[in-house]
Amino acid sequence: GAVVSQHPSWVICKSGTSVKIECRSLDFQATTMFWYRQFPKQSLMLMATSNEGSKATYEQGVEKDKFLINHASLTLSTLTVTSAHPEDSSFYICSARDGTNQETQYFGPGTRLLVL
Amino acid sequence: AQSVTQLDSHVSVSEGTPVLLRCNYSSSYSPSLFWYVQHPNKGLQLLLKYTSAATLVKGINGFEAEFKKSETSFHLTKPSAHMSDAAEYFCVVTRGNDYKLSFGAGTTVTVRA
């Protein structure tokens, strides 16, 4: 149980284009999902909290117009990197909080984004 | 504010020997603490968690951790390392009632044959 998937697993795009990453909780409902960014050899940095049916809350320093988050259902959150640039290249990881076990977050396998 | 310090950026052990990964935390309240493992190019897997119950927590794959409030530590141990334990390990603490997480910098474990 408690499986989180991400799609795509990797993506290469041209500078200036937008990329959408999906995060799904497969066997539980997630009222809250989180989006993280991880640079090579570094730790995870929380970007934003995605709440079903409401606006996402962003961490300090994260551009909300750059990283659009939509959480339209209890099992799906999407992160769209708009007008991507090479500095947006990173490993993006989502997690979902199980409502019955609220302290624990279950992580997706990550999406590697390369912007050329 | 909550913060996590992993005292070793890299730990190298021989297969079959014990593993110790050190973690200290600071928190203005009683946090929940976790250890996650990340294999190359993979997502994070929960090893174990402490949520104010027993101070000695047993996790998957033979790992365990002891919560010591007096020392503000949550060190991870395994009595006998296996080659498959080579990975990145993160000590994580809850930031508050909103269930956000703060991650340590990570410890890279290598296992020598």
Side-chain angles (χ1 to χ4, degrees), chain B residues 32-66:
Chain B
S32 295
L33 293 154
F34 308 81
W35 277 98
Y36 283 89
V37 61
Q38 184 181 33
H39 288 91
N41 298 311
K42 297 291 180 62
L44 278 73
Q45 181 183 20
L46 178 66
L47 283 177
L48 49 79
K49 66 178 180 181
Y50 167 78
T51 56
S52 75
T55 57
L56 183 61
V57 182
K58 293 188 182 298
I60 62 172
N61 301 335
F63 285 95
E64 64 180 35
E66 186 172 9

Side-chain angles (χ1 to χ4, degrees), chain A residues 18-94:
Chain A
S18 296
V19 175
K20 180 185 285 187
I21 302 170
E22 293 184 348
C23 177
R24 294 181 185 273
S25 57
L26 298 185
D27 49 5
F28 65 99
Q29 293 184 331
T31 55
T32 305
M33 292 182 171
F34 302 89
W35 286 95
Y36 296 84
R37 185 171 180 176
Q38 184 181 30
F39 289 105
K41 305 294 185 183
Q42 295 189 25
S43 189
L44 278 72
M45 298 298 295
L46 179 65
M47 298 174 64
T49 303
S50 172
N51 298 296
E52 187 267 336
S54 64
K55 290 183 178 180
T57 57
Y58 291 81
E59 296 299 298
Q60 191 173 11
V62 177
E63 301 175 57
K64 62 180 181 180
D65 295 330
K66 174 75 170 176
F67 300 100
L68 300 179
I69 291 173
N70 183 274
H71 194 156
S73 78
L74 287 172
T75 59
L76 174 63
S77 175
T78 61
L79 168 69
T80 301
V81 183
T82 62
S83 186
H85 287 90
E87 59 265 29
D88 298 324
S89 299
S90 190
F91 195 45
Y92 292 88
I93 302 174
C94 74

Side-chain angles (χ1 to χ4, degrees), chain B residues 56-77:
Chain B
L56 183 61
V57 182
K58 293 188 182 298
I60 62 172
N61 301 335
F63 285 95
E64 64 180 35
E66 186 172 9
F67 174 74
K68 292 187 177 181
K69 187 175 182 178
S70 61
E71 299 177 9
T72 61
S73 69
F74 190 56
H75 300 336
L76 180 71
T77 60

